């Protein structure tokens, strides 16, 4: 445990009003396998030296995973089957993903696509994986080499089209590509948008997280409690839970769902203290959160233009192709409002 968990609970304003906490989280992030085939410099885990990475590697026991999923009897969270692992490298991937979908949960993958075969693409379509987002971050192989440590751009792009072909006219999966802006690729940002907008269902443009914060994040004047600790449960392959998905090197320790169960951890003392300190503005009591500005990412604005629904937040800009907007609904919205009526009208 970190030192802040031993601090006294003090409300400096003496008028603390706790924010509501759902019975179970809306989003479940699970590293079924902490394993990756890339060494992206921007990654908080795989960008480290090999000897630093070794303690974080591992695989989740399938029976333990099923038991964890079974705790969500009424709640159907959105499940992302990776935090700092490549989901296509989960050893028993088909069993794991089928276990999620058979429980009526939405399944959203982020992948580099390098090992996506025709067989896997057909499997994703057959079980109706809800969303597949390909992390590409470049338009040339030279830039890809700098930001993702490989130059196999054609192979990654082929994987995107392979999945689109397998899906055909079916609704799912929702297929997108993403670009995280940083010094080595920002010169290709506009070209990336031109390359992919209108080709896939959604293009996600984001900013990089480094040194404990988003350096390019535009922040509102007043800091508020971070929505992450009220919506999202990040579970690592050993069942340990961290406060936030950005905690790749496990500086926080909120409990273990394999030992205590999901509900006990979610409503446990560690999350309760973190929420209390956020609600009372005592950021110094939560060292991991103190420098972070990720709390600012959840407000957004929208416009409908040129066949696109464009959604902008301080962290992301999403270019949603309106004629494919029908596969963006429910928990895939991340707790936000649905697309505006004019977008649905244009889609019709």
């Amino acid at each position: 445990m970190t030192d802040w968990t031993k601090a006294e609970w003090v409300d400096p304003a003496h008028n603390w009003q706790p924010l509501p906490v759902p019975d179970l989280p809306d989003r479940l992030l699970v590293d079924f396998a902490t394993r990756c085939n890339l060494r992206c410099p921007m990654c908080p885990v795989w960008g480290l030296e090999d000897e630093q990475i070794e303690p974080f590697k591992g695989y989740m026991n399938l029976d333990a995973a099923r038991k964890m999923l079974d705790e969500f009897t009424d709640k159907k969270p959105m499940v992302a089957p990776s935090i700092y692992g490549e989901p296509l490298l989960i050893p028993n991937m088909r069993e794991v993903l089928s276990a999620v979908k058979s429980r009526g949960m939405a399944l959203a993958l982020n992948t580099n696509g390098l090992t996506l075969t025709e067989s896997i693409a057909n499997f994703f379509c057959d079980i109706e994986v809800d969303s597949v987002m390909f992390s590409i971050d470049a338009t040339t192989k030279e830039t890809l080499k700098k930001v993702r440590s490989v130059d196999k751009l054609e192979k990654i792009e082929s994987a995107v089209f392979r999945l689109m072909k397998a899906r055909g006219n079916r609704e799912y999966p929702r297929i997108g590509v993403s670009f995280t802006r940083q010094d080595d690729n920002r010169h290709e940002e506009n070209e990336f948008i031109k390359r992919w907008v209108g080709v896939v269902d959604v293009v996600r443009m984001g900013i990089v997280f480094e040194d404990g914060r988003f350096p390019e994040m535009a922040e509102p004047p007043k800091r508020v409690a971070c929505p992450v600790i009220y919506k999202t449960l990040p579970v690592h392959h050993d069942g340990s839970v961290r406060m936030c998905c950005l905690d790749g090197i496990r500086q926080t320790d909120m409990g273990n769902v394999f030992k205590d169960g999901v509900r006990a951890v979610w409503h446990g003392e560690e999350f309760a203290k973190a929420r209390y300190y956020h609600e009372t503005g005592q950021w110094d009591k939560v060292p991991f959160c103190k420098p972070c500005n990720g709390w600012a990412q959840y407000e957004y604005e929208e416009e409908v233009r040129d066949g696109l629904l464009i959604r902008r937040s301080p962290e992301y800009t999403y270019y949603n192709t309106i004629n494919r907007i029908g596969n963006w609904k429910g928990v895939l919205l991340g707790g936000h409002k649905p697309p505006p009526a004019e977008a649905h009208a244009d889609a019709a």
Side-chain angles (χ1 to χ4, degrees):
M1 300 292 178
T2 48
D3 291 341
W4 70 268
T5 61
K6 301 175 184 177
E8 293 183 4
W9 291 38
V10 178
D11 176 12
H14 304 291
N15 59 358
W16 169 52
Q17 293 295 321
L19 296 174
V21 180
D23 182 48
L24 287 169
D26 297 323
R27 301 169 72 241
L28 180 62
L29 314 183
V30 188
D31 243 358
F32 289 106
T34 312
R35 179 185 179 191
C36 193
N37 49 357
L38 293 182
R39 294 293 183 271
C40 305
M42 64 177 150
C43 179
V45 174
W46 303 101
L48 299 172
E49 298 296 329
D50 287 346
E51 62 272 13
Q52 296 174 293
I53 295 172
E54 199 61 35
F56 305 125
K57 295 179 180 178
Y59 305 94
M60 184 174 287
N61 177 274
L62 183 56
D63 289 337
R66 287 178 174 140
K67 184 177 180 181
M68 173 186 65
L69 294 172
D70 283 340
E71 293 192 54
F72 292 85
T73 51
D74 298 320
K75 183 88 168 188
K76 304 298 182 186
M78 185 203 77
V79 177
S82 61
I83 307 175
Y84 285 100
E86 164 54 49
L88 300 187
L89 300 183
I90 300 172
N92 44 8
M93 181 190 67
R94 295 177 190 242
E95 290 179 271
V96 168
L97 301 190
S98 295
V100 173
K101 289 299 298 182
S102 68
R103 287 163 173 79
M105 300 174 179
L107 187 56
L109 280 73
N110 289 286
T111 177
N112 58 49
L114 285 168
T115 57
L116 189 137
T117 63
E118 184 177 352
S119 176
I120 293 174
N122 287 326
F123 169 72
F124 284 176
C125 297
D126 290 342
I127 69 168
E128 295 190 341
V129 168
D130 296 79
S131 172
V132 179
M133 184 74 71
F134 292 86
S135 301
I136 302 181
D137 302 306
T139 59
T140 64
K141 63 181 182 179
E142 292 79 14
T143 297
L144 185 69
K145 180 70 174 178
K146 292 179 180 178
V147 298
R148 300 195 66 82
S149 74
V150 293
D151 61 3
K152 300 178 180 179
L153 182 61
E154 291 182 0
K155 186 172 184 179
I156 297 173
E157 291 188 344
S158 293
V160 178
F161 290 106
R162 185 174 302 121
L163 183 58
M164 292 177 66
K165 180 181 178 182
R167 183 189 67 184
N169 292 324
R170 288 179 285 185
E171 190 169 25
Y172 295 105
R174 180 169 177 77
I175 300 172
V177 297
S178 70
F179 182 103
T180 300
R181 184 173 68 240
Q182 52 206 281
D183 288 343
D184 285 330
N185 70 357
R186 65 177 69 246
H187 63 287
E188 293 185 0
E189 181 176 6
N190 290 335
E191 188 62 32
F192 188 89
I193 293 170
K194 293 177 183 178
R195 168 78 176 93
W196 290 106
V197 165
V199 175
V200 291
D201 302 339
V202 57
V203 174
R204 183 180 69 197
M205 309 297 291
I207 55 178
V208 73
F209 179 79
E210 58 186 6
D211 298 326
R213 60 186 288 106
F214 295 91
E216 298 184 33
M217 180 83 79
E219 301 173 28
K222 180 177 173 56
R223 184 167 183 173
V224 298
C226 184
V228 165
I229 55 177
Y230 301 87
K231 295 177 179 291
T232 305
L233 190 71
V235 182
H236 291 258
H237 68 265
D238 57 358
S240 63
V241 175
R242 309 300 154 179
M243 187 184 306
C244 171
C245 67
L246 297 173
D247 184 10
I249 58 173
R250 309 182 189 182
Q251 298 177 54
T252 62
D253 186 354
M254 315 307 284
N256 191 295
V257 297
F258 293 167
K259 297 176 182 177
D260 302 315
V262 171
R263 188 174 274 101
V265 172
W266 182 242
H267 293 282
E269 183 175 331
E270 303 308 320
F271 267 117
K273 286 182 178 181
R275 293 171 185 135
Y276 170 78
Y277 291 141
H278 273 243
E279 290 161 12
T280 56
Q282 299 185 75
W283 318 113
D284 59 327
K285 300 287 182 63
V286 196
F288 182 80
C289 300
K290 183 180 178 180
C292 184
N293 54 359
W295 57 270
Q297 65 184 278
Y298 294 93
E299 295 300 320
Y300 61 86
E301 58 184 22
E302 294 178 330
E303 66 171 317
V304 176
R305 173 169 52 85
D306 299 328
L308 301 170
L309 168 62
I310 304 171
R311 175 174 286 187
R312 295 185 178 90
S313 76
E315 182 180 359
Y316 291 118
T317 297
Y318 289 88
Y319 297 89
N320 299 281
T321 303
I322 287 178
N323 63 12
R324 290 294 306 181
I325 213 160
N327 58 16
W328 185 42
K329 57 191 175 185
V331 290
L332 281 182
L333 294 172
H336 292 306
K337 61 187 179 184
E342 60 264 35
H344 287 292
D346 287 351

